[in-house]
Amino acid sequence: DIHYQGCLVNIYCLVDDSSSWIVPHAVTLCNKITDKGHKAKLVFNQSDISQCDVAFYLGCTSIVKRSAMDKANSNIVVHPSDLPKGRGFSPIAWQVLEGKNIITVTLFEATEKVDNGDVYFRGTINLDGTELNNEIKEKQGGITVDLCLKYIQNYGNCLRYKQEGDSTYYQRRTISDSQIDPHKTIADQFELLRVVDNERYPAFFRYRDSRYTIKIYKDKEKNVSEKER
């Protein structure tokens, strides 16, 4: 039972890009919350947030204005890094490129300073090193929903604590970050191939005065031999 002191909790979920990969997970979150008798509404513009108990900001690419945050008693962000380490942009992609397969995810109270608020809960994404971008995003979406539900389940009784330690920051990834070196092996660049997006920012390389695009997909069957194909 996730009722807060027997009362209904009013929740908004903001995704500021209606085409974002996280939209299906935001829909799942809203459905699971409403299944418990609470109010949850998915919106795509921060101006559509009305007075509420909780506002979840999921996959947002723009800074939320103070005027929107003032409408919620609690403003929650889920960031896939061990804050204060890994503040900034595309933290999962950068961590995969660093060779990490265990990635901490932090649910925290949003403030006007990006990725700086008090922490409520942490979770973990466990990778085996074979996942491509879509599979990584699926795991990220799953832990995001789980942490948000945990917050609602404990709403009004969540302990919070300041972020501790030195801060590090990741820069925004650009199209050029998906460039492959044709003189290196696939194995040497496999982590980069794992985090590129086949549609939005596919891998590419330049060779003999031309540019070539690479799209990568995982075969559904594992360890398929040539004779079985």
Side-chain angles (χ1 to χ4, degrees):
D1 187 359
I2 62 174
H3 282 74
Y4 169 54
Q5 296 180 349
C7 300
L8 177 143
V9 181
N10 189 21
I11 300 154
Y12 276 84
C13 294
L14 171 67
V15 180
D16 62 4
D17 178 2
S18 60
S19 65
S20 172
W21 65 271
I22 205 168
V23 169
H25 299 282
V27 171
T28 295
L29 174 61
C30 288
N31 288 340
K32 289 189 174 184
I33 291 172
T34 55
D35 284 346
K36 296 294 185 179
H38 298 277
K39 287 185 177 180
K41 184 176 182 180
L42 174 61
V43 296
F44 298 103
N45 192 309
Q46 55 187 274
S47 63
D48 292 329
I49 297 175
S50 299
Q51 199 65 38
C52 61
D53 297 304
V54 181
F56 289 118
Y57 305 110
L58 306 177
C60 291
T61 57
S62 301
I63 295 176
V64 180
K65 297 178 181 178
R66 181 76 258 175
S67 57
M69 295 175 64
D70 285 343
K71 295 178 182 178
N73 295 333
S74 186
N75 296 277
I76 300 296
V77 175
V78 181
H79 186 78
S81 78
D82 192 9
L83 293 174
K85 295 180 181 179
R87 292 176 177 173
F89 301 96
S90 305
I92 287 189
W94 290 116
Q95 289 175 85
V96 169
L97 289 169
E98 292 167 359
K100 295 181 180 178
N101 279 324
I102 300 176
I103 296 173
T104 299
V105 181
T106 306
L107 182 144
F108 65 98
E109 185 75 30
T111 65
E112 290 183 275
K113 190 173 181 180
V114 177
D115 299 336
N116 191 56
D118 291 351
V119 173
Y120 290 108
F121 300 112
R122 297 185 194 269
T124 303
I125 297 172
N126 294 298
L127 304 174
D128 61 23
T130 68
E131 298 92 347
L132 299 183
N133 182 273
N134 62 316
E135 297 170 296
I136 295 171
K137 294 295 189 186
E138 189 66 24
K139 291 189 175 185
Q140 181 183 353
I143 190 62
T144 297
V145 170
D146 289 346
L147 286 174
C148 290
L149 288 175
K150 185 175 182 179
Y151 178 77
I152 296 302
Q153 288 165 356
N154 294 278
Y155 182 65
N157 296 299
C158 294
L159 297 177
R160 55 195 291 177
Y161 54 94
K162 300 291 183 183
Q163 297 182 28
E164 296 183 353
D166 296 329
S167 303
T168 62
Y169 294 85
Y170 289 119
Q171 64 185 11
R172 187 187 297 273
R173 291 182 63 77
T174 65
I175 293 174
S176 63
D177 290 308
S178 295
Q179 184 168 359
I180 298 293
D181 186 339
H183 301 291
K184 292 183 178 180
T185 66
I186 291 175
D188 288 338
Q189 302 173 94
F190 186 60
E191 309 311 335
L192 176 54
L193 290 171
R194 291 176 63 200
V195 299
V196 297
D197 185 305
N198 286 334
E199 304 305 323
R200 296 174 61 200
Y201 40 90
F204 70 94
F205 66 93
R206 300 181 186 278
Y207 190 65
R208 294 179 179 172
D209 297 324
S210 295
R211 171 175 163 147
Y212 301 87
T213 296
I214 299 173
K215 294 191 177 184
I216 182 170
Y217 303 91
K218 181 187 287 188
D219 286 346
K220 292 182 179 180
E221 296 182 47
K222 292 185 178 180
N223 302 319
V224 178
S225 68
E226 288 301 321
K227 291 182 179 180
E228 296 173 315
R229 291 181 184 275

